[in-house]
Amino acid sequence: MTSSTSLKLALRLIQRPKKQRGNAFTLVELMVVVAIVGILSAVALPNFLSQTDKAKATEAKTNLAATLNQAHAKFLEDGKAPDKDKLSDDYGTPAKDKTNFNYAQTSFKSNIWEVEATGNSNDSGLTDKKLLGCINFETGKIDIGSKLNKTAETVSCT
């Protein structure tokens, strides 16, 4: 190999890293990408959080509906008013602190039975949020609130 050939080879090796550096991202480009991701996250996060609240409310609605249906079936079977102390035993309601909600009878008047789901400490975002459900034992009509709030939404089973 001649000295000019080896010199050309050495120059090529020195120049290669410069070409590779041209393929990298600049700091400005990275900052723009981070800003775009931040904006998208700020827009998407509230939507995501509202979906999780809806899912939690669905848990309470499902358990309330099951409890009310079971209570109606038991009422039709034996004609007795529901026993507020046996929600778990007689109606399949989840026991206290086993799920994100605790369930309790709030009233039983004129064949209308109301049960309230109250968020417990298993999920700090649900603490003291309530959902009310009722059933009319004469007609079988069930009504369950639609939103979790600190004060239970009024329902009507008349």
Side-chain angles (χ1 to χ4, degrees), residues 52-62 101 131 146-148:
T52 58
D53 286 346
K54 286 180 184 176
K56 292 171 187 175
T58 300
E59 173 195 341
K61 288 178 188 180
T62 302
F101 295 90
L131 195 63
S146 58
K147 293 183 181 178
L148 285 171

Side-chain angles (χ1 to χ4, degrees), residues 72-142:
H72 187 240
K74 191 160 178 56
F75 179 79
L76 291 175
E77 183 179 308
D78 60 18
K80 293 180 185 175
D83 186 349
K84 68 178 182 177
D85 297 324
K86 294 187 175 184
L87 288 177
S88 293
D89 298 336
D90 289 349
Y91 312 117
T93 309
K96 185 177 181 181
D97 294 327
K98 294 293 182 185
T99 64
N100 291 327
F101 295 90
N102 294 332
Y103 301 87
Q105 173 182 321
T106 56
S107 72
F108 183 70
K109 299 175 197 165
S110 305
N111 284 332
I112 296 176
W113 189 49
E114 289 184 354
V115 177
E116 185 176 73
T118 305
N120 58 32
S121 60
N122 289 343
D123 185 335
S124 60
L126 292 175
T127 304
D128 296 331
K129 289 189 177 178
K130 300 176 181 194
L131 195 63
L132 189 63
C134 66
I135 185 164
N136 184 327
F137 286 127
E138 290 177 1
T139 63
K141 179 185 176 192
I142 292 177

